[in-house]
Amino acid sequence: MWRHADSYTALPHVLNFVHVLTPDEWTRLVFSQWTRFDNIGVYRSELRSLLPTTTVRSVMEADELAAFDALPSVVSVYRGADRHKNVDGLSWSLDRAVAERFPRMLRYYSDQPVLVHGRVHKSHVLAVKLSRNESEIISTKVDPTYIEPLPPRE
């Protein structure tokens, strides 16, 4: 399955399995591959309807579980985005500096970069992902509290 899939075609492959696998199997598959997807925003509406609504401990590694368990009951998160696209994404960071990088990266480049500040109840954090050093929080229920303009890429 992964032989010919890159970071932009892997997620559509996983979505093709939603009706073939049990919900639990599909959830484990999507979260096992989550950090290789670079186009989650394109599929965010579909993912919102398919993903669970509460924490899925079984999809986290030991260090991710420890990070999840250490979270406060309400978590402050950040998301780098374009002012007019993908402000309401599913992937957020606990680290402001990490989030600030995204709208300046070539693959996510934004003409109007912003840093979205948000809050999410710990029970609505689906998973913590640490494998790309992004301190990533996955949630469908982040409440954006403030949108901060960022200077454009130099």
Side-chain angles (χ1 to χ4, degrees):
M1 177 168 133
W2 305 118
R3 176 182 282 170
H4 301 291
D6 62 23
S7 64
Y8 292 94
T9 59
L11 181 51
H13 285 305
V14 169
L15 289 169
N16 286 333
F17 284 88
V18 74
H19 300 296
V20 177
L21 301 173
T22 67
D24 184 55
E25 290 169 333
W26 185 83
T27 297
R28 281 186 277 129
L29 174 62
V30 74
F31 281 116
S32 73
Q33 299 300 311
W34 189 269
T35 57
R36 75 179 284 171
F37 305 145
D38 280 325
N39 58 346
I40 293 167
V42 174
Y43 299 96
R44 73 180 172 272
S45 294
E46 188 171 359
L47 286 166
R48 280 185 199 284
S49 69
L50 295 170
L51 290 172
T53 57
T54 59
T55 305
V56 187
R57 294 183 67 87
S58 64
V59 301
M60 292 184 268
E61 301 293 330
D63 59 337
E64 295 166 339
L65 281 167
F68 174 81
D69 289 341
L71 292 174
S73 61
V74 177
V75 184
S76 293
V77 292
Y78 305 92
R79 178 172 178 75
D82 183 285
R83 177 171 294 286
H84 302 291
K85 293 187 267 185
N86 210 13
V87 169
D88 62 340
L90 305 176
S91 294
W92 296 75
S93 181
L94 295 168
D95 186 329
R96 175 191 171 107
V98 167
E100 285 180 352
R101 286 194 329 244
F102 275 85
R104 295 185 180 111
M105 295 170 74
L106 190 55
R107 75 174 60 155
Y108 304 115
Y109 181 74
S110 166
D111 287 330
Q112 294 186 345
V114 295
L115 181 68
V116 184
H117 300 241
R119 295 173 61 83
V120 61
H121 288 273
K122 182 177 180 177
S123 62
H124 293 145
V125 172
L126 304 182
V128 173
K129 291 293 175 186
L130 302 175
S131 64
R132 294 201 306 191
N133 296 318
E134 295 172 357
S135 301
E136 185 174 6
I137 295 293
I138 303 166
S139 178
T140 61
K141 299 193 183 232
V142 173
D143 178 28
T145 57
Y146 175 68
I147 297 178
E148 174 185 347
L150 293 174
R153 183 175 162 189
E154 297 174 11

